Amino acid sequence: AVVSTQSGHYGRGRIKREMEEKRLRELEEARRRAAEEEAKRQAEKEKLEKERLEREKKEREEKLRKEQEERDRMIAISISEDNKAAVVKEEEAETKKSVKLNKNNIKDWKYSELREIINTSCDIELLEVAREEFHRRLKAYQQWKSVNKKRKDEPKPDLPGNKENFTAVSPGPKKKKVPTATLR
């Protein structure tokens, strides 16, 4: 009977120990799972934070790039305007040179050239010469216009539409009607 009590006592202790070990293993497994889950959540959180930071960095870079492009565009416009002004000044200088050479030949100039010189020139002498030529041409045009208006108002005797000379104009030969044969 002694043997049976020892084996029973030993059996209960062993079962208790196994249950305790099993419980400890389960607790350890639960802690390990919780730690893994926490590590996964932490890794996911870090990943999301990293993506957010990268997105913000890209947005900042894009904003800086756009700002730089806008500054470059404004500088290009400014340079372009400066170049245009320089080109205009060069053209004015060339025009002045050609004007000095052609002051005597102002009668050969086109109307648009005269108008440009009158509107833009700073040379008083050239301006006066251009105005005189412009007024000379204007007077010639007005004279031509008045002469042609008088001619237009004069009756033309040889035209059939003139009522005064209607009887003088012969109507010409009358056409005879030719009967046409009908086909059946």
Side-chain angles (χ1 to χ4, degrees), residues 97-143:
K97 286 179 186 176
S98 67
V99 165
K100 288 179 183 177
L101 295 174
N102 293 330
K103 277 186 182 179
N104 297 329
N105 299 332
I106 200 165
K107 292 181 180 184
D108 297 336
W109 288 7
K110 296 177 187 170
Y111 171 75
S112 61
E113 292 170 339
L114 278 175
R115 186 183 64 224
E116 182 182 342
I117 292 299
I118 291 171
N119 291 334
T120 61
S121 179
C122 295
D123 183 4
I124 303 294
E125 191 178 314
L126 176 64
L127 190 60
E128 286 299 318
V129 173
R131 281 188 180 156
E132 288 173 11
E133 177 63 18
F134 179 78
H135 287 294
R136 184 192 68 76
R137 289 183 187 187
L138 182 62
K139 286 178 186 176
Y141 168 72
Q142 288 172 343
Q143 185 180 14

mmCIF file of all heavy atoms in Angstrom, residues 97-143:
data_model
loop_
_atom_site.group_PDB
_atom_site.id
_atom_site.type_symbol
_atom_site.label_atom_id
_atom_site.label_comp_id
_atom_site.label_asym_id
_atom_site.label_seq_id
_atom_site.Cartn_x
_atom_site.Cartn_y
_atom_site.Cartn_z
ATOM 1 N N LYS A 97 20.351 105.838 -88.774
ATOM 2 C CA LYS A 97 21.446 105.875 -89.739
ATOM 3 C C LYS A 97 20.903 105.955 -91.155
ATOM 4 O O LYS A 97 21.362 106.753 -91.968
ATOM 5 C CB LYS A 97 22.338 104.635 -89.604
ATOM 6 C CG LYS A 97 23.232 104.648 -88.396
ATOM 7 C CD LYS A 97 24.064 103.384 -88.337
ATOM 8 C CE LYS A 97 24.878 103.301 -87.058
ATOM 9 N NZ LYS A 97 25.615 102.039 -86.957
ATOM 10 N N SER A 98 19.916 105.097 -91.438
ATOM 11 C CA SER A 98 19.346 105.091 -92.783
ATOM 12 C C SER A 98 18.594 106.383 -93.055
ATOM 13 O O SER A 98 18.568 106.873 -94.181
ATOM 14 C CB SER A 98 18.431 103.882 -92.983
ATOM 15 O OG SER A 98 17.295 103.986 -92.160
ATOM 16 N N VAL A 99 17.994 106.956 -92.008
ATOM 17 C CA VAL A 99 17.271 108.213 -92.171
ATOM 18 C C VAL A 99 18.246 109.326 -92.513
ATOM 19 O O VAL A 99 17.995 110.140 -93.401
ATOM 20 C CB VAL A 99 16.487 108.545 -90.875
ATOM 21 C CG1 VAL A 99 16.041 109.982 -90.857
ATOM 22 C CG2 VAL A 99 15.292 107.631 -90.770
ATOM 23 N N LYS A 100 19.380 109.351 -91.818
ATOM 24 C CA LYS A 100 20.373 110.381 -92.105
ATOM 25 C C LYS A 100 20.874 110.258 -93.542
ATOM 26 O O LYS A 100 21.123 111.253 -94.205
ATOM 27 C CB LYS A 100 21.534 110.290 -91.114
ATOM 28 C CG LYS A 100 21.145 110.766 -89.735
ATOM 29 C CD LYS A 100 22.272 110.647 -88.754
ATOM 30 C CE LYS A 100 21.816 111.075 -87.361
ATOM 31 N NZ LYS A 100 22.861 110.907 -86.361
ATOM 32 N N LEU A 101 20.995 109.021 -93.999
ATOM 33 C CA LEU A 101 21.440 108.810 -95.369
ATOM 34 C C LEU A 101 20.340 109.177 -96.359
ATOM 35 O O LEU A 101 20.632 109.610 -97.474
ATOM 36 C CB LEU A 101 21.854 107.349 -95.573
ATOM 37 C CG LEU A 101 23.064 106.868 -94.770
ATOM 38 C CD1 LEU A 101 23.247 105.369 -94.979
ATOM 39 C CD2 LEU A 101 24.313 107.621 -95.178
ATOM 40 N N ASN A 102 19.081 109.004 -95.951
ATOM 41 C CA ASN A 102 17.963 109.175 -96.874
ATOM 42 C C ASN A 102 17.153 110.447 -96.644
ATOM 43 O O ASN A 102 16.049 110.556 -97.138
ATOM 44 C CB ASN A 102 17.028 107.973 -96.773
ATOM 45 C CG ASN A 102 17.664 106.718 -97.284
ATOM 46 O OD1 ASN A 102 18.495 106.767 -98.165
ATOM 47 N ND2 ASN A 102 17.279 105.581 -96.727
ATOM 48 N N LYS A 103 17.663 111.394 -95.882
ATOM 49 C CA LYS A 103 16.898 112.630 -95.676
ATOM 50 C C LYS A 103 16.593 113.318 -97.001
ATOM 51 O O LYS A 103 15.527 113.886 -97.181
ATOM 52 C CB LYS A 103 17.669 113.599 -94.765
ATOM 53 C CG LYS A 103 17.506 113.323 -93.312
ATOM 54 C CD LYS A 103 18.173 114.404 -92.489
ATOM 55 C CE LYS A 103 18.051 114.097 -91.023
ATOM 56 N NZ LYS A 103 18.709 115.100 -90.183
ATOM 57 N N ASN A 104 17.517 113.224 -97.902
ATOM 58 C CA ASN A 104 17.317 113.857 -99.204
ATOM 59 C C ASN A 104 16.345 113.053 -100.066
ATOM 60 O O ASN A 104 15.737 113.593 -100.971
ATOM 61 C CB ASN A 104 18.650 114.016 -99.931
ATOM 62 C CG ASN A 104 19.593 114.935 -99.183
ATOM 63 O OD1 ASN A 104 19.140 115.863 -98.496
ATOM 64 N ND2 ASN A 104 20.882 114.694 -99.307
ATOM 65 N N ASN A 105 16.196 111.769 -99.797
ATOM 66 C CA ASN A 105 15.330 110.899 -100.590
ATOM 67 C C ASN A 105 14.005 110.612 -99.885
ATOM 68 O O ASN A 105 13.439 109.549 -100.059
ATOM 69 C CB ASN A 105 16.043 109.577 -100.895
ATOM 70 C CG ASN A 105 17.300 109.796 -101.703
ATOM 71 O OD1 ASN A 105 17.391 110.753 -102.451
ATOM 72 N ND2 ASN A 105 18.262 108.907 -101.551
ATOM 73 N N ILE A 106 13.520 111.533 -99.101
ATOM 74 C CA ILE A 106 12.306 111.289 -98.307
ATOM 75 C C ILE A 106 11.082 111.102 -99.201
ATOM 76 O O ILE A 106 10.115 110.479 -98.809
ATOM 77 C CB ILE A 106 12.101 112.423 -97.279
ATOM 78 C CG1 ILE A 106 11.183 111.943 -96.162
ATOM 79 C CG2 ILE A 106 11.568 113.669 -97.921
ATOM 80 C CD1 ILE A 106 11.205 112.818 -94.949
ATOM 81 N N LYS A 107 11.152 111.593 -100.432
ATOM 82 C CA LYS A 107 10.024 111.445 -101.356
ATOM 83 C C LYS A 107 9.862 109.996 -101.806
ATOM 84 O O LYS A 107 8.798 109.606 -102.261
ATOM 85 C CB LYS A 107 10.199 112.360 -102.558
ATOM 86 C CG LYS A 107 10.079 113.819 -102.182
ATOM 87 C CD LYS A 107 10.215 114.716 -103.357
ATOM 88 C CE LYS A 107 10.080 116.161 -102.886
ATOM 89 N NZ LYS A 107 10.118 117.099 -103.969
ATOM 90 N N ASP A 108 10.924 109.206 -101.652
ATOM 91 C CA ASP A 108 10.867 107.797 -102.050
ATOM 92 C C ASP A 108 10.331 106.902 -100.937
ATOM 93 O O ASP A 108 10.112 105.718 -101.164
ATOM 94 C CB ASP A 108 12.268 107.299 -102.443
ATOM 95 C CG ASP A 108 12.810 108.045 -103.654
ATOM 96 O OD1 ASP A 108 11.997 108.567 -104.430
ATOM 97 O OD2 ASP A 108 14.045 108.091 -103.799
ATOM 98 N N TRP A 109 10.114 107.453 -99.762
ATOM 99 C CA TRP A 109 9.681 106.638 -98.617
ATOM 100 C C TRP A 109 8.224 106.234 -98.766
ATOM 101 O O TRP A 109 7.414 106.938 -99.376
ATOM 102 C CB TRP A 109 9.840 107.413 -97.319
ATOM 103 C CG TRP A 109 11.248 107.586 -96.877
ATOM 104 C CD1 TRP A 109 12.383 107.253 -97.553
ATOM 105 C CD2 TRP A 109 11.664 108.162 -95.645
ATOM 106 N NE1 TRP A 109 13.487 107.573 -96.836
ATOM 107 C CE2 TRP A 109 13.078 108.135 -95.644
ATOM 108 C CE3 TRP A 109 11.023 108.692 -94.549
ATOM 109 C CZ2 TRP A 109 13.826 108.617 -94.597
ATOM 110 C CZ3 TRP A 109 11.762 109.174 -93.502
ATOM 111 C CH2 TRP A 109 13.150 109.134 -93.518
ATOM 112 N N LYS A 110 7.902 105.116 -98.146
ATOM 113 C CA LYS A 110 6.520 104.647 -98.116
ATOM 114 C C LYS A 110 5.767 105.439 -97.049
ATOM 115 O O LYS A 110 6.358 106.005 -96.126
ATOM 116 C CB LYS A 110 6.467 103.162 -97.757
ATOM 117 C CG LYS A 110 7.110 102.277 -98.778
ATOM 118 C CD LYS A 110 7.071 100.845 -98.305
ATOM 119 C CE LYS A 110 7.858 99.950 -99.238
ATOM 120 N NZ LYS A 110 8.036 98.620 -98.689
ATOM 121 N N TYR A 111 4.456 105.429 -97.163
ATOM 122 C CA TYR A 111 3.610 106.132 -96.193
ATOM 123 C C TYR A 111 3.845 105.603 -94.783
ATOM 124 O O TYR A 111 3.934 106.374 -93.818
ATOM 125 C CB TYR A 111 2.134 105.972 -96.575
ATOM 126 C CG TYR A 111 1.188 106.481 -95.523
ATOM 127 C CD1 TYR A 111 0.990 107.842 -95.332
ATOM 128 C CD2 TYR A 111 0.509 105.596 -94.694
ATOM 129 C CE1 TYR A 111 0.145 108.309 -94.353
ATOM 130 C CE2 TYR A 111 -0.339 106.056 -93.711
ATOM 131 C CZ TYR A 111 -0.516 107.421 -93.548
ATOM 132 O OH TYR A 111 -1.355 107.869 -92.564
ATOM 133 N N SER A 112 3.971 104.256 -94.611
ATOM 134 C CA SER A 112 4.178 103.674 -93.280
ATOM 135 C C SER A 112 5.498 104.138 -92.668
ATOM 136 O O SER A 112 5.582 104.368 -91.460
ATOM 137 C CB SER A 112 4.132 102.150 -93.347
ATOM 138 O OG SER A 112 5.157 101.675 -94.194
ATOM 139 N N GLU A 113 6.536 104.304 -93.492
ATOM 140 C CA GLU A 113 7.814 104.792 -92.976
ATOM 141 C C GLU A 113 7.699 106.238 -92.507
ATOM 142 O O GLU A 113 8.223 106.605 -91.450
ATOM 143 C CB GLU A 113 8.900 104.664 -94.049
ATOM 144 C CG GLU A 113 9.257 103.238 -94.385
ATOM 145 C CD GLU A 113 10.154 103.117 -95.604
ATOM 146 O OE1 GLU A 113 10.197 104.068 -96.432
ATOM 147 O OE2 GLU A 113 10.807 102.071 -95.742
ATOM 148 N N LEU A 114 6.993 107.044 -93.287
ATOM 149 C CA LEU A 114 6.764 108.437 -92.876
ATOM 150 C C LEU A 114 6.018 108.502 -91.551
ATOM 151 O O LEU A 114 6.380 109.250 -90.642
ATOM 152 C CB LEU A 114 5.951 109.187 -93.934
ATOM 153 C CG LEU A 114 6.697 109.741 -95.125
ATOM 154 C CD1 LEU A 114 5.727 110.349 -96.120
ATOM 155 C CD2 LEU A 114 7.722 110.762 -94.704
ATOM 156 N N ARG A 115 4.962 107.712 -91.461
ATOM 157 C CA ARG A 115 4.149 107.703 -90.239
ATOM 158 C C ARG A 115 4.984 107.259 -89.037
ATOM 159 O O ARG A 115 4.905 107.851 -87.965
ATOM 160 C CB ARG A 115 2.961 106.763 -90.435
ATOM 161 C CG ARG A 115 1.976 106.793 -89.286
ATOM 162 C CD ARG A 115 0.857 105.804 -89.469
ATOM 163 N NE ARG A 115 1.414 104.469 -89.457
ATOM 164 C CZ ARG A 115 1.079 103.491 -90.302
ATOM 165 N NH1 ARG A 115 0.183 103.718 -91.224
ATOM 166 N NH2 ARG A 115 1.634 102.313 -90.215
ATOM 167 N N GLU A 116 5.826 106.234 -89.226
ATOM 168 C CA GLU A 116 6.671 105.745 -88.134
ATOM 169 C C GLU A 116 7.647 106.823 -87.683
ATOM 170 O O GLU A 116 7.835 107.041 -86.485
ATOM 171 C CB GLU A 116 7.433 104.500 -88.583
ATOM 172 C CG GLU A 116 8.303 103.915 -87.492
ATOM 173 C CD GLU A 116 9.082 102.711 -87.968
ATOM 174 O OE1 GLU A 116 8.727 102.110 -88.998
ATOM 175 O OE2 GLU A 116 10.058 102.374 -87.288
ATOM 176 N N ILE A 117 8.251 107.515 -88.628
ATOM 177 C CA ILE A 117 9.197 108.576 -88.280
ATOM 178 C C ILE A 117 8.473 109.700 -87.545
ATOM 179 O O ILE A 117 8.954 110.210 -86.527
ATOM 180 C CB ILE A 117 9.910 109.117 -89.549
ATOM 181 C CG1 ILE A 117 10.826 108.047 -90.126
ATOM 182 C CG2 ILE A 117 10.681 110.386 -89.245
ATOM 183 C CD1 ILE A 117 11.932 107.595 -89.200
ATOM 184 N N ILE A 118 7.311 110.083 -88.023
ATOM 185 C CA ILE A 118 6.555 111.150 -87.365
ATOM 186 C C ILE A 118 6.184 110.747 -85.946
ATOM 187 O O ILE A 118 6.259 111.550 -85.019
ATOM 188 C CB ILE A 118 5.297 111.517 -88.186
ATOM 189 C CG1 ILE A 118 5.725 112.212 -89.482
ATOM 190 C CG2 ILE A 118 4.353 112.390 -87.386
ATOM 191 C CD1 ILE A 118 4.606 112.422 -90.474
ATOM 192 N N ASN A 119 5.807 109.487 -85.734
ATOM 193 C CA ASN A 119 5.356 109.042 -84.413
ATOM 194 C C ASN A 119 6.482 108.702 -83.450
ATOM 195 O O ASN A 119 6.283 108.732 -82.244
ATOM 196 C CB ASN A 119 4.443 107.821 -84.550
ATOM 197 C CG ASN A 119 3.120 108.171 -85.183
ATOM 198 O OD1 ASN A 119 2.666 109.303 -85.100
ATOM 199 N ND2 ASN A 119 2.507 107.211 -85.855
ATOM 200 N N THR A 120 7.659 108.353 -83.950
ATOM 201 C CA THR A 120 8.700 107.853 -83.044
ATOM 202 C C THR A 120 9.987 108.657 -83.035
ATOM 203 O O THR A 120 10.798 108.486 -82.132
ATOM 204 C CB THR A 120 9.066 106.398 -83.401
ATOM 205 O OG1 THR A 120 9.578 106.356 -84.723
ATOM 206 C CG2 THR A 120 7.873 105.480 -83.253
ATOM 207 N N SER A 121 10.195 109.522 -84.003
ATOM 208 C CA SER A 121 11.489 110.186 -84.122
ATOM 209 C C SER A 121 11.677 111.264 -83.063
ATOM 210 O O SER A 121 10.734 111.945 -82.663
ATOM 211 C CB SER A 121 11.625 110.816 -85.504
ATOM 212 O OG SER A 121 12.865 111.473 -85.592
ATOM 213 N N CYS A 122 12.923 111.402 -82.628
ATOM 214 C CA CYS A 122 13.301 112.464 -81.690
ATOM 215 C C CYS A 122 14.118 113.535 -82.413
ATOM 216 O O CYS A 122 14.435 114.570 -81.828
ATOM 217 C CB CYS A 122 14.108 111.885 -80.526
ATOM 218 S SG CYS A 122 13.161 110.772 -79.508
ATOM 219 N N ASP A 123 14.458 113.259 -83.656
ATOM 220 C CA ASP A 123 15.243 114.196 -84.447
ATOM 221 C C ASP A 123 14.302 115.265 -85.010
ATOM 222 O O ASP A 123 13.478 114.986 -85.877
ATOM 223 C CB ASP A 123 15.950 113.430 -85.574
ATOM 224 C CG ASP A 123 16.862 114.320 -86.406
ATOM 225 O OD1 ASP A 123 17.005 115.512 -86.062
ATOM 226 O OD2 ASP A 123 17.426 113.800 -87.389
ATOM 227 N N ILE A 124 14.408 116.484 -84.492
ATOM 228 C CA ILE A 124 13.499 117.571 -84.855
ATOM 229 C C ILE A 124 13.572 117.877 -86.347
ATOM 230 O O ILE A 124 12.548 118.055 -87.015
ATOM 231 C CB ILE A 124 13.822 118.854 -84.035
ATOM 232 C CG1 ILE A 124 13.739 118.565 -82.539
ATOM 233 C CG2 ILE A 124 12.923 120.006 -84.429
ATOM 234 C CD1 ILE A 124 12.369 118.239 -82.050
ATOM 235 N N GLU A 125 14.769 117.917 -86.870
ATOM 236 C CA GLU A 125 14.963 118.230 -88.287
ATOM 237 C C GLU A 125 14.283 117.197 -89.179
ATOM 238 O O GLU A 125 13.540 117.528 -90.105
ATOM 239 C CB GLU A 125 16.470 118.279 -88.565
ATOM 240 C CG GLU A 125 16.844 118.843 -89.904
ATOM 241 C CD GLU A 125 18.358 118.895 -90.042
ATOM 242 O OE1 GLU A 125 19.033 119.340 -89.104
ATOM 243 O OE2 GLU A 125 18.838 118.462 -91.107
ATOM 244 N N LEU A 126 14.508 115.926 -88.861
ATOM 245 C CA LEU A 126 13.895 114.843 -89.631
ATOM 246 C C LEU A 126 12.379 114.870 -89.474
ATOM 247 O O LEU A 126 11.641 114.645 -90.435
ATOM 248 C CB LEU A 126 14.448 113.495 -89.169
ATOM 249 C CG LEU A 126 13.825 112.270 -89.822
ATOM 250 C CD1 LEU A 126 14.110 112.265 -91.323
ATOM 251 C CD2 LEU A 126 14.353 111.009 -89.186
ATOM 252 N N LEU A 127 11.911 115.141 -88.298
ATOM 253 C CA LEU A 127 10.472 115.196 -88.027
ATOM 254 C C LEU A 127 9.811 116.274 -88.882
ATOM 255 O O LEU A 127 8.747 116.039 -89.478
ATOM 256 C CB LEU A 127 10.250 115.462 -86.531
ATOM 257 C CG LEU A 127 8.856 115.331 -86.000
ATOM 258 C CD1 LEU A 127 8.330 113.925 -86.228
ATOM 259 C CD2 LEU A 127 8.829 115.644 -84.514
ATOM 260 N N GLU A 128 10.424 117.426 -88.972
ATOM 261 C CA GLU A 128 9.872 118.514 -89.789
ATOM 262 C C GLU A 128 9.828 118.127 -91.264
ATOM 263 O O GLU A 128 8.840 118.352 -91.954
ATOM 264 C CB GLU A 128 10.695 119.801 -89.593
ATOM 265 C CG GLU A 128 10.452 120.468 -88.262
ATOM 266 C CD GLU A 128 9.019 120.897 -88.079
ATOM 267 O OE1 GLU A 128 8.409 121.423 -89.040
ATOM 268 O OE2 GLU A 128 8.477 120.679 -86.978
ATOM 269 N N VAL A 129 10.914 117.527 -91.754
ATOM 270 C CA VAL A 129 10.971 117.115 -93.155
ATOM 271 C C VAL A 129 9.891 116.061 -93.441
ATOM 272 O O VAL A 129 9.203 116.125 -94.464
ATOM 273 C CB VAL A 129 12.379 116.578 -93.506
ATOM 274 C CG1 VAL A 129 12.416 115.978 -94.897
ATOM 275 C CG2 VAL A 129 13.410 117.673 -93.377
ATOM 276 N N ALA A 130 9.717 115.111 -92.519
ATOM 277 C CA ALA A 130 8.716 114.057 -92.707
ATOM 278 C C ALA A 130 7.310 114.641 -92.690
ATOM 279 O O ALA A 130 6.450 114.249 -93.494
ATOM 280 C CB ALA A 130 8.863 112.997 -91.626
ATOM 281 N N ARG A 131 7.055 115.582 -91.786
ATOM 282 C CA ARG A 131 5.724 116.229 -91.738
ATOM 283 C C ARG A 131 5.447 117.002 -93.017
ATOM 284 O O ARG A 131 4.329 116.951 -93.566
ATOM 285 C CB ARG A 131 5.632 117.162 -90.538
ATOM 286 C CG ARG A 131 5.369 116.444 -89.265
ATOM 287 C CD ARG A 131 5.101 117.416 -88.149
ATOM 288 N NE ARG A 131 4.855 116.677 -86.915
ATOM 289 C CZ ARG A 131 5.034 117.159 -85.716
ATOM 290 N NH1 ARG A 131 5.456 118.398 -85.552
ATOM 291 N NH2 ARG A 131 4.783 116.429 -84.652
ATOM 292 N N GLU A 132 6.423 117.725 -93.517
ATOM 293 C CA GLU A 132 6.242 118.469 -94.766
ATOM 294 C C GLU A 132 5.909 117.527 -95.913
ATOM 295 O O GLU A 132 5.011 117.798 -96.714
ATOM 296 C CB GLU A 132 7.500 119.277 -95.085
ATOM 297 C CG GLU A 132 7.706 120.480 -94.187
ATOM 298 C CD GLU A 132 9.040 121.163 -94.420
ATOM 299 O OE1 GLU A 132 9.743 120.835 -95.427
ATOM 300 O OE2 GLU A 132 9.395 122.034 -93.612
ATOM 301 N N GLU A 133 6.637 116.413 -95.993
ATOM 302 C CA GLU A 133 6.378 115.438 -97.058
ATOM 303 C C GLU A 133 4.976 114.837 -96.907
ATOM 304 O O GLU A 133 4.252 114.667 -97.882
ATOM 305 C CB GLU A 133 7.432 114.334 -97.047
ATOM 306 C CG GLU A 133 7.194 113.240 -98.066
ATOM 307 C CD GLU A 133 7.243 113.720 -99.508
ATOM 308 O OE1 GLU A 133 7.775 114.804 -99.794
ATOM 309 O OE2 GLU A 133 6.732 112.983 -100.376
ATOM 310 N N PHE A 134 4.605 114.526 -95.666
ATOM 311 C CA PHE A 134 3.269 113.962 -95.411
ATOM 312 C C PHE A 134 2.191 114.941 -95.862
ATOM 313 O O PHE A 134 1.239 114.561 -96.555
ATOM 314 C CB PHE A 134 3.116 113.633 -93.925
ATOM 315 C CG PHE A 134 1.782 113.068 -93.577
ATOM 316 C CD1 PHE A 134 1.483 111.747 -93.834
ATOM 317 C CD2 PHE A 134 0.801 113.871 -93.011
ATOM 318 C CE1 PHE A 134 0.239 111.218 -93.518
ATOM 319 C CE2 PHE A 134 -0.446 113.348 -92.703
ATOM 320 C CZ PHE A 134 -0.721 112.026 -92.954
ATOM 321 N N HIS A 135 2.324 116.228 -95.490
ATOM 322 C CA HIS A 135 1.322 117.231 -95.876
ATOM 323 C C HIS A 135 1.322 117.462 -97.384
ATOM 324 O O HIS A 135 0.260 117.691 -97.982
ATOM 325 C CB HIS A 135 1.553 118.533 -95.104
ATOM 326 C CG HIS A 135 1.165 118.416 -93.661
ATOM 327 N ND1 HIS A 135 -0.135 118.215 -93.255
ATOM 328 C CD2 HIS A 135 1.904 118.433 -92.524
ATOM 329 C CE1 HIS A 135 -0.181 118.135 -91.934
ATOM 330 N NE2 HIS A 135 1.053 118.248 -91.459
ATOM 331 N N ARG A 136 2.486 117.401 -98.021
ATOM 332 C CA ARG A 136 2.547 117.538 -99.485
ATOM 333 C C ARG A 136 1.751 116.420 -100.142
ATOM 334 O O ARG A 136 0.945 116.660 -101.042
ATOM 335 C CB ARG A 136 4.011 117.501 -99.957
ATOM 336 C CG ARG A 136 4.160 117.742 -101.463
ATOM 337 C CD ARG A 136 5.554 117.418 -101.941
ATOM 338 N NE ARG A 136 5.867 116.008 -101.885
ATOM 339 C CZ ARG A 136 5.412 115.083 -102.754
ATOM 340 N NH1 ARG A 136 4.619 115.435 -103.736
ATOM 341 N NH2 ARG A 136 5.763 113.822 -102.637
ATOM 342 N N ARG A 137 1.944 115.189 -99.638
ATOM 343 C CA ARG A 137 1.217 114.042 -100.205
ATOM 344 C C ARG A 137 -0.275 114.150 -99.929
ATOM 345 O O ARG A 137 -1.097 113.807 -100.770
ATOM 346 C CB ARG A 137 1.752 112.733 -99.619
ATOM 347 C CG ARG A 137 3.129 112.389 -100.102
ATOM 348 C CD ARG A 137 3.588 111.073 -99.555
ATOM 349 N NE ARG A 137 4.974 110.781 -99.875
ATOM 350 C CZ ARG A 137 5.562 109.632 -99.624
ATOM 351 N NH1 ARG A 137 4.897 108.652 -99.045
ATOM 352 N NH2 ARG A 137 6.816 109.453 -99.959
ATOM 353 N N LEU A 138 -0.653 114.631 -98.740
ATOM 354 C CA LEU A 138 -2.065 114.783 -98.385
ATOM 355 C C LEU A 138 -2.737 115.799 -99.309
ATOM 356 O O LEU A 138 -3.845 115.567 -99.815
ATOM 357 C CB LEU A 138 -2.194 115.210 -96.923
ATOM 358 C CG LEU A 138 -3.611 115.369 -96.398
ATOM 359 C CD1 LEU A 138 -4.352 114.029 -96.451
ATOM 360 C CD2 LEU A 138 -3.596 115.898 -94.972
ATOM 361 N N LYS A 139 -2.063 116.924 -99.567
ATOM 362 C CA LYS A 139 -2.619 117.940 -100.471
ATOM 363 C C LYS A 139 -2.779 117.375 -101.880
ATOM 364 O O LYS A 139 -3.785 117.624 -102.555
ATOM 365 C CB LYS A 139 -1.723 119.176 -100.498
ATOM 366 C CG LYS A 139 -1.828 120.021 -99.255
ATOM 367 C CD LYS A 139 -0.878 121.198 -99.340
ATOM 368 C CE LYS A 139 -0.864 121.968 -98.035
ATOM 369 N NZ LYS A 139 0.133 123.053 -98.076
ATOM 370 N N ALA A 140 -1.782 116.631 -102.336
ATOM 371 C CA ALA A 140 -1.857 116.044 -103.674
ATOM 372 C C ALA A 140 -3.034 115.074 -103.760
ATOM 373 O O ALA A 140 -3.764 115.058 -104.766
ATOM 374 C CB ALA A 140 -0.549 115.330 -104.009
ATOM 375 N N TYR A 141 -3.235 114.292 -102.712
ATOM 376 C CA TYR A 141 -4.362 113.345 -102.704
ATOM 377 C C TYR A 141 -5.693 114.090 -102.723
ATOM 378 O O TYR A 141 -6.599 113.729 -103.484
ATOM 379 C CB TYR A 141 -4.288 112.440 -101.465
ATOM 380 C CG TYR A 141 -5.549 111.646 -101.238
ATOM 381 C CD1 TYR A 141 -5.872 110.588 -102.065
ATOM 382 C CD2 TYR A 141 -6.428 111.991 -100.221
ATOM 383 C CE1 TYR A 141 -7.033 109.868 -101.881
ATOM 384 C CE2 TYR A 141 -7.604 111.281 -100.023
ATOM 385 C CZ TYR A 141 -7.900 110.226 -100.854
ATOM 386 O OH TYR A 141 -9.053 109.527 -100.668
ATOM 387 N N GLN A 142 -5.814 115.144 -101.925
ATOM 388 C CA GLN A 142 -7.082 115.898 -101.874
ATOM 389 C C GLN A 142 -7.370 116.564 -103.209
ATOM 390 O O GLN A 142 -8.518 116.604 -103.665
ATOM 391 C CB GLN A 142 -7.037 116.923 -100.736
ATOM 392 C CG GLN A 142 -7.115 116.258 -99.375
ATOM 393 C CD GLN A 142 -6.891 117.226 -98.230
ATOM 394 O OE1 GLN A 142 -6.378 118.331 -98.422
ATOM 395 N NE2 GLN A 142 -7.255 116.791 -97.032
ATOM 396 N N GLN A 143 -6.342 117.055 -103.855
ATOM 397 C CA GLN A 143 -6.513 117.671 -105.169
ATOM 398 C C GLN A 143 -6.963 116.625 -106.183
ATOM 399 O O GLN A 143 -7.886 116.854 -106.966
ATOM 400 C CB GLN A 143 -5.203 118.325 -105.609
ATOM 401 C CG GLN A 143 -5.328 119.092 -106.897
ATOM 402 C CD GLN A 143 -4.002 119.738 -107.293
ATOM 403 O OE1 GLN A 143 -2.963 119.401 -106.741
ATOM 404 N NE2 GLN A 143 -4.043 120.652 -108.246
#
